[in-house]
Amino acid sequence: MSDTESSESGAHEHHEHHHDVEGPGYATPQAAIEEAERETVAYVPSLYVGTDVDAPDFLSVVDVNPDSDTYTEVIDRVEMPNKGDELHHFGWNACSSSCHVEGLERRHLVVPGQRSSRLHIIDTKDRENPEIVKVIEPEEVYEYDLSAPHTVHCIPDGEILISMLGNEDGDLPGGFLELNDDFEIEGRWDPPGEIEMNYDFWYQPRHNVMVSSEWAAPKTYYPGFDLEDVEAGKYGHKLHFWDWERGQLQQTVDLGEEGMIPLEVRFLHSPEAAHGYVGAALSSNIFHFYEREKEWFAEKVIDIEPREHEDWDMPVPGLITDLLVSMDDRYLFFSNWLHGDVRMYDVSDPSNPRLADQLWAGGLYGPRHPTGEDDRPVVAGPQMLQLSIDGERLYWTTSLFSTWDNQFYPEEGEKGSVMLKADVNPRKGTMTLDEDFLVDFGEMPNGPARAHEIRWPDGDCTSDVWQ
């Protein structure tokens, strides 16, 4: 049986089993596509760390409703209570993995500070005017010998799992922190020391598996990127496959030199699928991972060739910093932050991705004014991506990490980030840059800000998981 056939069958059975239960999210990925309304607001962590602005980071509420008078504007800002958090990745308290849990709402955002290790809980009951309702201070996190929170995933039954990239001192090893549905620290999810490095993760309950990737110790990447750290073996190149129910490491796959710094990791959305992708940032390769006879494998399926540049002493890698899979599992999108392009691949055959389309905006090789010469310049490359649930609108921001921004794109801290959008035609497999859409984070009241990950109130292609 093909994955497509098993996917349709599995999704149908799941829908039939839980059709009368009122929980968050959608019963199946197909239900999400058919039932979700168009996104009207986007939540975007925005930060001043590494800029000349002496103010706390904030969560932006961006108007993405084209029928609104404030379309493409930041209509509300939720300021953090402290300075220097470096807001980075964030997630929901509940997603479609909990669609069987009656009474649970996808309502609260868990917004960590990457540098501070502080966890902010934000209530979005009023979608356009969210508010902070709780803060977990760093000292509470350090009690579990963990720091530097990164990926936040809701997990079934209302708990929340967060990947932590370092120990209390910012060294290795990292691990995982679990919160309960009252946003209290439940404890460590994993036995300490199972892995050294940590970064992103995704789980697939029907296969009882979680996969995690590797960046480095916070003390290594906090100051900025140094090639000598790579040569000294301080950056990761492995994928880890876990027993999801027991929280125990089952298998590690070493991606080698072609898999240096594997960052974002995504399974296909079908709960029956045993296929996924990870982007190796420094090597600029996409790996396809898959299960065969209870063993996990990874193979390089896309290779982005480095390019010569007059200002560089070495060929410039694409630096794949984010990727996502469309809700229908047909397309893979990823960004080359240094080159300045976004790519769209047809992954109908997961082992053999086919380039469908590519567009350029900023970066070292793309147009500096992609939305028109009268618009402000785009001073960095495409970075964090988010796709509408129906697969027809792709959005992205341009900030990676404050010290890395200042190293590779110093103007990002001076002029602020932008958020751009492409219109996607899933039927033809094409993207077109929307030249009328540009959110300017350089125009914030306290000064230019960086902008990072993007989330929709009703779920999205980088946070929803199905049981």
Side-chain angles (χ1 to χ4, degrees):
M1 179 182 291
S2 70
D3 286 332
T4 303
E5 290 170 327
S6 61
S7 166
E8 291 173 350
S9 173
H12 179 70
E13 290 170 5
H14 183 65
H15 179 70
E16 289 295 310
H17 184 68
H18 297 298
H19 70 282
D20 57 347
V21 172
E22 292 293 333
Y26 306 92
T28 66
Q30 186 59 37
I33 295 170
E34 294 175 0
E35 298 171 10
E37 296 181 358
R38 177 179 173 135
E39 66 283 358
T40 56
V41 297
Y43 299 123
V44 183
S46 311
L47 54 149
Y48 287 124
V49 174
T51 72
D52 293 332
V53 178
D54 185 28
D57 297 345
F58 57 95
L59 182 75
S60 290
V61 181
V62 180
D63 186 339
V64 292
N65 179 2
D67 296 327
S68 167
D69 292 337
T70 53
Y71 182 50
T72 73
E73 295 180 12
V74 175
I75 56 175
D76 191 41
R77 299 180 305 125
V78 184
E79 283 201 354
M80 300 300 109
N82 297 274
K83 298 176 184 176
D85 286 309
E86 179 121 25
L87 303 185
H88 196 63
H89 287 216
F90 67 130
W92 290 101
N93 67 308
C95 73
S96 293
S97 70
S98 303
C99 69
H100 61 292
V101 182
E102 190 171 6
L104 192 62
E105 294 180 82
R106 189 196 330 244
R107 170 171 162 178
H108 291 89
L109 286 167
V110 180
V111 184
Q114 230 291 313
R115 287 183 187 269
S116 68
S117 299
R118 188 174 286 109
L119 306 174
H120 310 87
I121 312 302
I122 296 180
D123 187 347
T124 67
K125 182 178 181 180
D126 182 342
R127 292 185 170 191
E128 297 186 0
N129 297 280
E131 59 179 357
I132 293 179
V133 293
K134 182 174 182 176
V135 176
I136 299 174
E137 296 294 343
E139 292 73 18
E140 300 174 67
V141 174
Y142 297 155
E143 289 181 16
Y144 299 88
D145 199 21
L146 293 169
S147 68
H150 192 270
T151 300
V152 177
H153 265 302
C154 42
I155 59 178
D157 301 327
E159 294 87 2
I160 298 151
L161 193 62
I162 306 172
S163 61
M164 310 291 292
L165 276 53
N167 65 14
E168 178 182 355
D169 298 320
D171 294 313
L172 299 176
F176 294 89
L177 189 72
E178 187 172 353
L179 307 184
N180 62 26
D181 54 4
D182 289 324
F183 308 109
E184 298 167 335
I185 296 178
E186 191 79 8
R188 286 191 70 131
W189 178 81
D190 56 318
E194 287 277 87
I195 54 172
E196 283 289 304
M197 298 182 194
N198 202 3
Y199 182 70
D200 194 25
F201 73 99
W202 194 286
Y203 62 97
Q204 197 72 316
R206 292 195 195 180
H207 291 275
N208 188 32
V209 66
M210 182 181 86
V211 57
S212 64
S213 57
E214 296 187 332
W215 194 3
K219 282 184 176 177
T220 299
Y221 66 79
Y222 274 178
F225 178 74
D226 188 337
L227 198 56
E228 291 185 0
D229 287 336
V230 178
E231 295 168 350
K234 295 183 178 180
Y235 277 98
H237 46 84
K238 297 175 183 174
L239 289 181
H240 304 285
F241 295 89
W242 301 73
D243 183 311
W244 172 242
E245 293 182 357
R246 296 182 178 181
Q248 295 177 345
L249 183 63
Q250 295 292 299
Q251 185 186 343
T252 292
V253 175
D254 191 336
L255 303 177
E257 292 188 359
E258 293 192 311
M260 291 302 301
I261 314 184
L263 295 181
E264 311 306 324
V265 58
R266 319 285 186 210
F267 269 111
L268 298 186
H269 295 285
S270 164
E272 289 293 311
H275 296 272
Y277 298 94
V278 63
L282 184 60
S283 304
S284 300
N285 296 317
I286 297 288
F287 281 79
H288 165 227
F289 57 84
Y290 57 96
E291 183 184 40
R292 180 186 297 160
E293 297 178 351
K294 305 299 182 184
E295 186 175 2
W296 289 91
F297 299 88
E299 60 182 8
K300 186 184 72 174
V301 291
I302 300 172
D303 183 356
I304 304 301
E305 290 290 329
R307 296 180 58 172
E308 299 291 336
H309 192 283
E310 59 184 6
D311 295 331
W312 280 58
D313 296 329
M314 56 179 279
V316 181
L319 210 75
I320 300 170
T321 50
D322 195 21
L323 76 163
L324 63 80
V325 178
S326 61
M327 195 62 81
D328 61 3
D329 289 339
R330 181 174 178 187
Y331 292 109
L332 169 72
F333 298 84
F334 64 86
S335 56
N336 288 304
W337 188 59
L338 288 180
H339 283 186
D341 59 316
V342 177
R343 294 192 178 204
M344 175 182 183
Y345 281 76
D346 187 328
V347 291
S348 301
D349 177 356
S351 300
N352 295 288
R354 180 183 61 80
L355 180 63
D357 204 0
Q358 177 184 20
L359 61 79
W360 293 86
L364 296 176
Y365 302 97
R368 190 172 170 86
H369 294 271
T371 59
E373 290 300 319
D374 294 334
D375 266 343
R376 59 148 291 180
V378 176
V379 296
Q383 216 281 99
M384 295 308 296
L385 307 172
Q386 191 53 264
L387 185 67
S388 61
I389 293 177
D390 63 10
E392 296 187 359
R393 294 166 298 284
L394 180 72
Y395 302 78
W396 63 90
T397 55
T398 52
S399 171
L400 175 58
F401 195 69
S402 62
T403 43
W404 294 43
D405 287 352
N406 290 341
Q407 188 173 355
F408 294 101
Y409 294 115
E411 285 184 283
E412 183 82 351
E414 301 167 3
K415 292 186 169 59
S417 298
V418 296
M419 180 174 166
L420 300 176
K421 165 180 168 282
D423 293 317
V424 180
N425 186 328
R427 291 162 295 282
K428 295 182 178 179
T430 59
M431 296 183 291
T432 305
L433 185 70
D434 181 351
E435 297 185 5
D436 295 325
F437 186 99
L438 185 148
V439 181
D440 187 358
F441 289 86
E443 297 294 330
M444 296 297 101
N446 288 325
R450 309 178 196 278
H452 202 68
E453 201 174 27
I454 304 166
R455 297 229 172 275
W456 318 126
D458 292 317
D460 50 57
C461 295
T462 60
S463 64
D464 266 287
V465 175
W466 278 267
Q467 287 209 74

